[in-house]
Each structure stands twice: as C-alpha cells, then as structure tokens.
Amino acid sequence: MGLSEELSRAISTGKVIIGTDRSIKALKRGEAKLVIAASNCPRQVLEDIQYYTSIGGAKFHVFKGDSKELGLACGKPFTVNVVAVVDPGESNILSTVESG
C-alpha cells in the first residue's frame, strides 16, 4: 500500500491531526509520532516542523504531492499543508514512511 492509502486508514482507525497549528502543538506536547507536510508547504513551516521533530523524536516526511493532493489523501475537500499522526491505528503508515 502507498502512503495515501495508509494515511486514509490511519485517519479512519487511529488519531490524525489535520492543520499546521494543531500539528505543531501536538509536536510540542510530544504526542505526534509522524508529521507529514505537503511539498508546497511554506519553508518557514517546514523549518519549524523539522526543528520540533528533531527535539521530540517524531518522524518527518514531505508528501510528494501539493497541499490539494494531501487534502484529497486525507479525504478532505480542501487543501491541507500538514498532518500529524498521533495514533496510527490499524495502518502501517510509520513503516511505510520509513521504507518510502
């Protein structure tokens, strides 16, 4: 399965936070295990996320598609710049990101 399918499964069976501000807050609290950012995410946001993932030990991945495609992968009819996976549920998203 690809990242989009695993992200969809994580959303339906686990806990995924959608949105830049909420994702960064989850990183600061140490709740996020993985943060995925769209390829067209603003550079300052990417730098902030990389900083907090390096401190908290969370994984960081840049999605190959833009924010519109990341929104569609999340099943949302709007653009999404950042998602944070707090609980992967029944998905294999953490190992998918490592191997991808």
Side-chain angles (χ1 to χ4, degrees), residues 26-72:
L27 273 172
K28 288 179 179 179
R29 289 191 302 262
E31 296 173 353
K33 292 179 174 65
L34 167 67
V35 177
I36 301 171
S39 62
N40 64 336
C41 191
R43 191 176 60 145
Q44 183 59 51
V45 172
L46 288 174
E47 290 173 1
D48 289 348
I49 291 170
Q50 286 176 325
Y51 172 75
Y52 289 116
T53 54
S54 67
I55 289 175
K59 296 176 184 167
F60 176 64
H61 182 76
V62 177
F63 190 72
K64 289 188 171 121
D66 61 14
S67 54
K68 186 175 182 180
E69 293 173 76
L70 183 55
L72 290 173

Side-chain angles (χ1 to χ4, degrees), residues 6 9-10 17 23 29 44 60 62 81 84 86 88 96 100:
E6 291 297 340
R9 182 178 285 172
I17 295 171
S23 295
R29 289 191 302 262
Q44 183 59 51
F60 176 64
V62 177
N81 271 328
V86 175
T96 300

Side-chain angles (χ1 to χ4, degrees), residues 70-83:
L70 183 55
L72 290 173
C74 293
K76 303 298 178 189
F78 48 82
T79 61
V80 173
N81 271 328
V82 180
V83 296

Side-chain angles (χ1 to χ4, degrees), residues 84-98:
V85 177
V86 175
D87 177 9
E90 296 174 11
S91 75
N92 294 321
I93 193 162
L94 298 177
S95 59
T96 300
V97 168
E98 286 175 359

